[in-house]
Amino acid sequence: MRILMVGGSGYVGSLMLPGLAGGHSIRVLDPVAPVGAPEGVVHVAGSALDSGVLAGALEGVDVVVHAAMGRRSDVHWPYPDLGRSFEVNVASVYATLAAAREAGVRRAVLISSLSVFADGPVALADRVLDEAVEPDASDVYGVSKRLAEQVCRIAAEAYGMSVTVLRLAWPTPDAVWPRWALPVVFPEPVQVRFADGRPFFALAASDLAAAVDAAVRRVGGYEVFHIHGGSGSGLSTEKARVGLGWVARYG
């Protein structure tokens, strides 16, 4: 399958690329070239907000995966930058889906986040949530991701596209699993834990790639799936098991 990955040079994109490149033809649209990308991955320099570059990148594509996210603030580190969060997480999603429709691309995948849910007063790892629960995050990142999902729902309904939303939690390289690595925030991988001290397993990169592989093949309107490695938690992944045939191998 021919995939355009928007924002494929970022942290999450770098986790997905090795697992996807073996079975698909991957084109990455990103201002920066992906570091250490597998052989055969093609880089298109630019932004989804540049309509000309985006249209060219979509030529001959079967499915588009939007994996971009707004950068961290230089002033209020490590919190997300307000303007960039909405520009990348909302506006570029809208632009990507509108351009995909014009290009005749009928399938899209949004890399979203379980951060659409508030991390307090009960910590996210300890909440009981499935896809039927209404998102309630009010922080910049969470709100921008909530809006991105709404853009996807609208596109599916208005354009007749198949749009699959994957809400990730704590994606990490296989080599450091079950800990969570986020280099722009933590100098070393950290262990996410439940309130009672038990470890909450992060989402291994190979499991993430398997979820995206299943999502790009899905056909049929708008659907949301929770994708994480936290076995024994109240964050159900049952819908992904039934709807995508996906189960985390790690954990």
Side-chain angles (χ1 to χ4, degrees), residues 2 16 76 89 105 183 250:
R2 296 162 297 183
M16 295 188 288
H76 302 292
N89 295 345
V105 179
Y250 282 72

Side-chain angles (χ1 to χ4, degrees), residues 22-202:
H24 302 281
S25 174
I26 310 290
R27 186 182 300 163
V28 171
L29 174 61
D30 197 291
V32 179
V35 176
E39 185 177 353
V41 172
V42 175
H43 175 235
V44 178
S47 163
L49 294 174
D50 184 324
S51 58
V53 173
L54 176 59
L58 283 163
E59 290 182 3
V61 164
D62 299 308
V63 57
V64 59
V65 176
H66 192 288
M69 65 170 285
R71 68 172 180 231
R72 301 273 167 174
S73 171
D74 294 330
V75 177
H76 302 292
W77 181 265
Y79 301 104
D81 179 271
L82 178 61
R84 288 289 290 169
S85 290
F86 284 88
E87 183 180 78
V88 175
N89 295 345
V90 185
S92 76
V93 173
Y94 183 94
T96 296
L97 295 176
R101 179 204 185 192
E102 291 297 318
V105 179
R106 309 302 301 165
R107 277 178 279 182
V109 177
L110 173 70
I111 303 302
S112 187
S113 170
L114 277 169
S115 293
V116 296
F117 297 104
D119 194 29
V122 177
L124 183 57
D126 290 284
R127 294 188 64 178
V128 178
L129 300 168
D130 63 19
E131 292 83 350
V133 178
E134 186 70 21
D136 56 2
S138 58
D139 63 289
V140 170
Y141 182 69
V143 169
S144 66
K145 283 297 191 181
R146 289 175 65 180
L147 291 173
E149 292 184 4
Q150 290 302 306
V151 168
C152 288
R153 180 189 292 274
I154 291 166
E157 294 172 352
Y159 305 156
M161 296 177 66
S162 297
V163 185
T164 307
V165 173
L166 301 181
R167 290 176 179 161
L168 312 185
W170 303 291
T172 199
D174 288 2
V176 302
W177 183 91
R179 295 173 296 160
W180 178 39
L182 190 60
V184 296
V185 178
F186 307 119
E188 298 291 337
V190 298
Q191 179 62 67
V192 180
R193 296 187 180 277
F194 293 101
D196 63 8
R198 289 178 297 126
F200 186 110
F201 296 156

